[in-house]
């Protein structure tokens, strides 16, 4: 194992933010690594409170023209007051995610001294290990969640025969949040419950003990293992979201897994996981890493004290990839604000899908970091949003197509969330999500996928064909909307959030129309619709440069109430969009720089995800050195001991955004060229990366030394023409699918 591909610690987790995450997309655990009373906090991705509802506000459509008029007349307060009653969800909140429960393992250890304690998360194999000695007996636990077998596996071994005795039980909020915990036969337990609310979800969680020698029995609702040589616990969970009889499904998964030996389960798991994980390697010069022997929390502390640690950055990068593999797999739900890991019955922001940046950020590494198939849960969710969003579009706005606002939940709810004016009334969530369909196509060039997705892209665009309003200058604008989640100040000092034509909206619609136009060309369909989009696209407001030399956040050059706001919505076109770039729109790129600097001078970047977005933006501006400082800042200010991103509190988007940002410093392809090392920080003196993906269906291996490209090999997967850029040199060539092309540039 690359010693860098692990997180390790010399003591058990004191709290949840020190525990280590495992998961197979659907079933997750946070492993505390405690010696006497092990806790694995459990999640299953479909354990959500309540069933689907229609929350579309029945009074929206009638009042929409009046709200638009009030806004156009500058009567902000009146517009916002009326919108707060008529363009909010009824009720105002969507459903929330809940924990599945906990598995406790109470070890029967004598009280002698514990020594040689360590615990780790091995990113190479997706296993957590806990090891310690009591007296002269060594104990070891290995815990992983298998995707092929759909179970969690916990293996307890020791160096001495008959040394393993423990009691185990399942729990959920000190027995208050479930209905039954029963022994099944003499070696298993099952926990039964419902999440509550109308049509709430029914869940089951079961665990079975298989002991080598010794005995297994149940007493009350405990599972008791006595004097075993080794024990395998197999845990499964299922809910009524996917199964008519979740209990039967739970037991079936355990029975199926139990046919295998522990070694077989482990082997299945590793083979499956490594197919994804091993596609990308990154080395930022850690061969000279003097910190390799230090525990992860210690290394993080050193970074906080100002010591740079390049190999911790590559660990952070691979940890991000690990987290996506563990929280988003085909047939799972998409990663939420917390991935799948949440211990609270009412989590921060409900642990839903916030779609005015956060859920999208979760998927920024999916394509470039060669985990393309992990994008699919998001695509499947878009289909649920499409069904509900058609109703929302029609009933609230009188429009065709579909829309969603700044949040969605397990049911793909599309009505507005909260009554929080800076965020709630924003009809752009579905449009932004749909750009992920296009991005997946661009990276994979899978025409069948594009064909399957075209209707969704088209329906998302269709909404705006109807929703956009032509203003007095002949521009097509969204109204009412907001610039997530900022507040503007009028010259008379009045403050507002609800507005006409915020820049981000026009940029997202530009990107959506463009992808729809290109898709219809590739598929050779819908010429009339394409022509209509081309015409409408021309009338969208273009990014404008304002009085500070910045990109304007709104149609008018308003001042913002919080110049250091965490959202930098008006730079969507820089990243993840591609309407601005230093090579093709230098003036806009310069203004984007000014925008970022102004945000940062006023304290911007204070949440983890905001910092991560900033890294990606500086990468796109080809400012590697500045981006690098923000990577350090992400580690220093927004990273918990288990390397989880800290909003605060824990929110996983920063991990994913940070991972994507590190890749974006090494390879970019949004302008149609494969730009090699576009923003290499000086601190990454020597390094190597393999397996990053570029648009056009290319895989790229690079190595460099003192800023000079040593080797570059492009693997063509789809036989597309390849254009490569390095510094100011450019080369282009035709490719054949399945062939690899070394590229050589002159030394400058
Ligand atoms: C958006 C952000 C917050 C937080 C929340 C989940 O509303 O503005 O910072 O990330 O989503």
């Amino acid at each position: 194992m690359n010693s860098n591909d692990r997180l390790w610690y010399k003591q058990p987790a004191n709290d949840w933010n020190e525990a280590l995450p495992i998961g197979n997309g659907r079933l997750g655990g946070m492993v505390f690594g405690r010696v006497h009373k092990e806790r694995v906090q459990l999640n299953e991705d479909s354990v959500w409170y309540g069933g689907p509802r229609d929350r579309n506000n029945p009074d929206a459509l009638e009042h929409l023209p009046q709200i638009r008029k009030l806004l156009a007349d500058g009567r902000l307060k009146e517009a916002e007051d009326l919108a707060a009653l008529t363009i909010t969800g009824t009720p105002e909140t969507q459903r929330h995610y809940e924990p599945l429960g906990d598995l406790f393992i109470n070890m029967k250890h004598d009280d002698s001294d514990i020594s040689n304690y360590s615990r780790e998360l091995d990113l190479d194999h997706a296993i957590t290990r806990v090891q310690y000695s009591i007296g002269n007996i060594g104990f070891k636990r290995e815990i992983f969640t298998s995707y092929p077998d759909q179970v969690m596996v916990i293996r307890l071994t020791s160096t001495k025969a008959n040394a393993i005795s423990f009691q185990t039980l399942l729990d959920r909020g000190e027995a208050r949040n479930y209905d039954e915990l029963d022994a099944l036969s003499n070696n298993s337990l099952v926990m039964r419950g419902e999440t509550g609310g109308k049509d709430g979800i029914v869940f089951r969680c079961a665990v079975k003990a298989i002991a080598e020698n010794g005995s297994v029995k149940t007493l009350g609702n405990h599972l008791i293992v006595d004097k075993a040589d080794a024990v395998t616990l197999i845990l499964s969970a299922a809910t009524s979201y996917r199964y008519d009889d979740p209990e039967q499904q739970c037991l079936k998964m355990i029975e199926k897994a139990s046919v295998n030996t522990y070694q077989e389960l482990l082997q299945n798991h590793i083979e499956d996981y490594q197919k994804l994980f091993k596609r990308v390697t990154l080395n930022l010069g850690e061969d000279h890493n003097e910190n390799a022997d230090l525990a992860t929390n210690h290394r993080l502390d050193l970074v906080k004290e100002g010591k740079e640690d390049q190999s911790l950055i590559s660990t952070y990068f691979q940890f991000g990839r690990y987290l996506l593999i563990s929280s988003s797999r085909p047939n799972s739900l998409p990663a939420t604000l917390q991935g799948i890991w949440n211990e609270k019955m009412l989590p921060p922001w409900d642990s839903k899908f916030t779609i005015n940046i956060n859920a999208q950020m979760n998927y920024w590494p999916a394509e470039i970091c060669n985990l393309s198939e992990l994008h699919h849960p998001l695509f499947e969710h878009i289909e649920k949003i499409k069904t509900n969003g058609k109703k929302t579009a029609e009933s609230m706005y009188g429009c065709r197509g579909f829309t969603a606002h700044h949040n969605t939940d397990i049911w793909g709810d599309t009505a507005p969330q909260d009554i929080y004016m800076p965020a709630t009334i924003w009809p752009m969530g579905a449009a932004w999500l749909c750009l992920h369909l296009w991005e997946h196509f661009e990276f994979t060039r899978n025409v069948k996928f594009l064909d399957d997705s075209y209707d969704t892209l088209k329906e998302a665009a269709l909404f705006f064909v109807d929703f956009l309003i032509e203003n007095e200058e002949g521009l097509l604008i969204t109204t009412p909307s907001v610039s997530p989640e900022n507040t503007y100040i009028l010259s008379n000092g009045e403050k507002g959030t609800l507005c006409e034509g915020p820049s981000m909206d026009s940029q997202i619609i530009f990107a959506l129309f463009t992808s729809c136009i290109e898709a219809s060309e590739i598929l050779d369909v819908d010429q009339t619709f394409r022509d209509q989009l081309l015409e409408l696209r021309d009338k969208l407001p273009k990014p404008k440069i304002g009085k500070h030399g910045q990109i304007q956040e709104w149609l008018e050059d308003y001042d913002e109430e919080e110049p250091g706001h965490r959202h930098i919505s008006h730079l969507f076109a820089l990243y993840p969009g591609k309407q601005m770039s230093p090579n093709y729109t230098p003036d806009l790129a310069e203004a984007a720089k000014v925008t970022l600097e102004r945000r940062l001078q006023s304290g911007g970047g204070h949440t983890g995800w905001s910092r991560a977005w900033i890294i990606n933006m500086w990468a796109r501006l080809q400012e590697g050195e500045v981006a690098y400082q923000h990577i350090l800042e992400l580690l220093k200010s927004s990273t918990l001991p288990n390397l989880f991103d800290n909003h605060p509190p824990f929110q996983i988007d920063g991990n994913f955004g940070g991972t994507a940002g590190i890749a974006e410093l090494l390879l970019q392809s949004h302008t149609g060229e494969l730009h090699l090392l576009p923003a290499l920080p000086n601190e990454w003196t020597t390094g190597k990366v393999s397996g990053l993906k570029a648009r056009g269906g290319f895989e790229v291996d690079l190595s460099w030394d003192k800023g000079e490209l040593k080797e570059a090999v492009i693997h063509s997967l789809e036989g597309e023409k390849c254009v490569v850029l390095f510094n100011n040199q450019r080369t282009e060539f035709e490719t054949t699918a399945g062939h690899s092309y070394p590229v050589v540039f002159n030394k400058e």
Side-chain angles (χ1 to χ4, degrees):
M1 177 180 38
N2 176 349
S3 70
N4 209 39
D5 286 345
R6 68 172 190 147
L7 279 56
W8 78 278
Y9 304 83
K10 289 182 180 161
Q11 60 286 315
N14 282 314
D15 65 30
W16 196 88
N17 291 324
E18 294 183 11
L20 294 170
I22 51 171
N24 64 2
R26 188 182 66 83
L27 180 64
M30 289 291 285
V31 181
F32 281 64
R34 294 178 187 159
V35 171
H36 293 284
K37 186 176 183 177
E38 177 62 289
R39 177 183 177 203
V40 184
Q41 188 266 311
L42 304 167
N43 287 101
E44 202 274 354
D45 67 350
S46 60
V47 179
W48 287 62
Y49 178 85
R53 289 169 302 171
D54 180 346
R55 297 188 311 109
N56 294 305
N57 194 319
D59 295 316
L61 189 55
E62 185 189 335
H63 293 90
L64 181 64
Q66 197 182 342
I67 292 165
R68 284 180 164 160
K69 172 107 183 35
L70 287 168
L71 272 180
D73 293 346
R75 290 158 67 183
L76 297 184
K77 180 87 178 67
E78 287 166 76
E80 289 185 358
D81 287 350
L82 185 59
L85 296 171
T86 58
I87 312 206
T88 44
T90 50
E92 69 177 76
T93 290
Q94 297 169 347
R95 299 306 197 182
H96 62 270
Y97 188 41
E98 290 185 357
L100 169 68
D102 286 285
L103 173 78
F104 288 106
I105 306 171
N106 300 323
M107 300 298 298
K108 212 164 151 195
H109 283 322
D110 63 30
D111 282 336
S112 15
D113 281 349
I114 299 161
S115 56
N116 302 322
Y117 179 91
S118 75
R119 66 185 171 107
E120 69 174 353
L121 175 60
D122 167 354
L123 300 178
D124 230 22
H125 300 90
I127 297 173
T128 52
R129 295 190 190 89
V130 183
Q131 302 188 66
Y132 53 90
S133 304
I134 294 193
N136 54 9
I137 309 175
F139 291 90
K140 183 167 163 187
R141 279 171 228 152
E142 288 189 321
I143 311 183
F144 62 87
T145 313
S146 163
Y147 179 70
D149 288 298
Q150 286 294 313
V151 289
M152 184 178 292
V153 182
I154 299 148
R155 172 79 172 167
L156 298 100
T157 52
S158 87
T159 53
K160 191 173 160 236
N162 310 118
I164 299 176
S165 300
F166 63 85
Q167 304 183 351
T168 188
L169 88 161
L170 294 162
D171 201 353
R172 195 169 190 252
E174 297 179 344
R176 277 161 184 78
N177 297 321
Y178 67 79
D179 297 321
E180 294 166 4
L181 177 59
D182 281 352
L184 279 189
S185 59
N186 58 356
N187 57 15
S188 303
L189 301 174
V190 62
M191 178 170 68
R192 306 186 180 100
E194 292 184 23
T195 58
K198 185 165 182 284
D199 303 323
I201 284 170
V202 174
F203 62 83
R204 297 288 185 264
C205 179
V207 59
K208 174 180 179 179
I210 303 166
E212 283 155 39
N213 295 324
S215 66
V216 181
K217 65 180 176 189
T218 59
L219 282 179
N221 57 15
H222 280 76
L223 195 55
I224 318 278
V225 174
D226 202 34
K227 296 200 174 66
D229 295 346
V231 181
T232 304
L233 294 174
I234 301 182
L235 182 142
S236 71
T239 77
S240 56
Y241 184 73
R242 294 193 179 88
Y243 301 102
D244 291 339
D245 187 341
E247 183 154 336
Q248 195 200 16
Q249 179 62 25
C250 250
L251 300 178
K252 208 164 97 187
M253 289 188 286
I254 290 191
E255 277 326 301
K256 211 166 149 244
S258 314
V259 170
N260 299 288
T261 63
Y262 173 71
Q263 282 311 323
E264 286 163 345
L265 289 170
L266 182 67
Q267 209 47 44
N268 277 347
H269 163 67
I270 293 174
E271 264 170 35
D272 162 75
Y273 170 77
Q274 290 193 337
K275 264 186 224 147
L276 295 162
F277 186 73
K278 285 208 174 279
R279 287 178 190 167
V280 175
T281 63
L282 175 65
N283 185 315
L284 296 177
E286 41 265 55
D287 305 343
H288 320 288
N289 173 28
E290 48 200 68
N291 288 342
D293 296 332
L294 299 179
T296 305
N297 54 328
H298 193 169
R299 288 173 70 171
L300 188 63
D301 286 343
L302 289 176
V303 173
K304 290 181 186 191
E305 286 163 19
K307 192 164 186 330
E308 294 173 29
D309 184 340
Q310 306 314 332
S311 63
L312 191 62
I313 296 176
S314 45
T315 304
Y316 187 89
F317 171 81
Q318 290 293 28
F319 181 55
R321 295 184 65 249
Y322 166 83
L323 290 175
L324 196 63
I325 302 173
S326 309
S327 64
S328 184
R329 284 292 196 106
N331 300 321
S332 79
L333 284 156
T336 72
L337 283 174
Q338 277 77 24
I340 35 171
W341 301 280
N342 155 55
E343 69 162 343
K344 299 210 162 65
M345 291 303 287
L346 193 55
W349 291 287
D350 304 330
S351 195
K352 306 196 286 294
F353 310 101
T354 304
I355 51 176
N356 68 3
I357 175 77
N358 319 82
Q360 287 89 345
M361 184 176 281
N362 285 358
Y363 287 90
W364 288 354
E367 300 297 334
I368 186 168
C369 292
N370 211 336
L371 297 169
S372 206
E373 58 271 68
L374 307 188
H375 223 153
H376 282 275
L378 187 71
F379 305 151
E380 278 146 31
H381 215 64
I382 293 175
E383 293 307 307
K384 289 180 203 140
I385 291 171
K386 181 177 167 187
T387 307
N388 296 328
K390 281 186 180 177
K391 259 194 175 171
T392 300
E394 193 187 348
S395 69
M396 289 187 60
Y397 298 113
C399 295
R400 294 170 296 165
F402 75 106
T403 190
H405 294 82
H406 90 298
N407 265 267
T408 191
D409 64 8
I410 187 173
W411 306 107
D413 191 326
T414 50
Q417 157 76 28
D418 298 326
I419 306 186
Y420 178 57
M421 245 343 122
T424 299
I425 300 170
W426 188 68
M428 304 301 301
W432 187 349
L433 284 176
C434 285
L435 294 176
H436 283 249
L437 298 168
W438 177 248
E439 187 179 84
H440 182 72
F441 168 73
E442 284 194 296
F443 274 87
T444 60
R445 301 303 292 183
N446 180 342
V447 178
K448 161 94 175 61
F449 173 82
L450 187 65
D451 197 19
D452 292 344
S453 310
Y454 178 72
D455 184 65
T456 306
L457 277 174
K458 181 181 173 181
E459 292 284 330
L462 198 56
F463 172 75
F464 295 102
V465 172
D466 290 354
F467 186 78
L468 290 170
I469 298 283
E470 188 160 331
N471 73 2
E472 282 173 0
E473 290 150 51
L475 294 171
L476 285 178
I477 53 167
T478 53
T479 173
S481 190
V482 295
S483 180
E485 299 186 12
N486 213 352
T487 299
Y488 59 90
I489 311 174
L490 298 182
S491 46
N492 65 5
E494 201 184 339
K495 289 178 186 167
T497 50
L498 210 60
C499 67
E500 298 182 307
S503 305
M504 182 186 230
D505 290 13
S506 307
Q507 296 173 12
I508 292 176
I509 298 169
F510 181 91
L512 180 67
F513 282 6
T514 304
S515 55
C516 232
I517 291 163
E518 289 182 31
S520 87
E521 274 166 1
I522 293 166
L523 300 169
D524 196 17
V525 292
D526 266 351
Q527 166 129 30
T528 322
F529 186 60
R530 185 194 317 156
D531 291 344
Q532 186 184 15
L533 291 186
L534 279 164
E535 214 173 285
L536 298 179
R537 193 180 64 172
D538 272 352
K539 292 168 113 182
L540 291 169
K542 313 260 174 315
K544 275 203 325 210
I545 299 176
K547 58 186 177 233
H548 306 286
Q550 91 289 12
I551 298 289
Q552 274 182 215
E553 181 159 359
W554 294 275
L555 203 52
E556 303 297 326
D557 196 7
Y558 300 133
D559 281 324
E560 56 273 76
E561 185 182 45
E562 272 181 74
H565 201 280
R566 63 196 178 283
H567 286 262
I568 315 174
S569 306
H570 42 323
L571 293 195
F572 170 89
L574 176 67
Y575 187 95
K578 40 193 182 178
Q579 215 181 335
M580 298 174 187
S581 71
N583 294 4
Y584 291 95
T585 59
D587 294 347
L588 292 178
E590 200 45 48
K593 232 180 240 183
V594 174
T595 312
L596 274 175
E597 277 158 2
R598 286 191 77 237
R599 273 292 203 263
L600 289 162
Q601 274 153 16
S602 308
H606 48 281
T607 68
W609 64 258
S610 180
R611 182 74 62 196
W613 197 357
I614 288 166
I615 295 168
N616 285 281
M617 289 177 173
W618 284 117
R620 283 279 172 95
L621 290 169
Q622 301 171 19
E623 296 276 1
E625 220 37 48
V626 191
Y628 173 76
Q629 292 307 324
H630 289 284
I631 294 175
L632 291 182
E633 209 46 57
L634 183 65
L635 290 172
K636 279 183 190 171
S637 314
S638 306
T639 301
L640 293 160
N642 59 3
L643 298 194
F644 265 169
D645 170 62
N646 196 15
H647 180 288
F650 158 55
Q651 200 171 287
I652 207 158
D653 41 17
N655 285 103
F656 292 135
T659 298
I662 292 166
E664 201 72 22
L665 290 172
L666 303 172
L667 177 69
Q668 294 177 16
S669 60
H670 57 288
T671 55
E673 298 129 341
L674 275 65
H675 194 167
L676 312 183
L677 306 178
L680 187 69
N682 297 333
E683 287 76 3
W684 297 352
T685 336
T686 54
K688 236 193 234 174
V689 66
S690 69
L692 289 183
K693 289 283 287 282
R695 288 168 185 81
F698 299 107
E699 229 177 78
V700 180
D701 303 340
L702 301 171
S703 64
W704 65 90
D705 190 18
K706 299 184 190 67
E708 286 298 331
L709 195 59
K710 258 173 61 186
E711 214 176 1
V713 181
I714 319 277
H715 308 280
S716 170
L717 307 179
E718 298 298 326
E720 298 275 326
K721 181 176 171 184
C722 188
V723 183
V724 189
L725 192 65
F726 173 67
N727 289 339
N728 295 320
Q729 302 179 59
R730 193 186 152 96
T731 174
E732 51 181 87
F733 49 92
E734 300 294 333
T735 73
T736 307
H739 286 239
S740 298
Y741 300 85
V743 190
V744 182
F745 289 99
N746 300 328
K747 281 212 158 144
E748 293 208 322

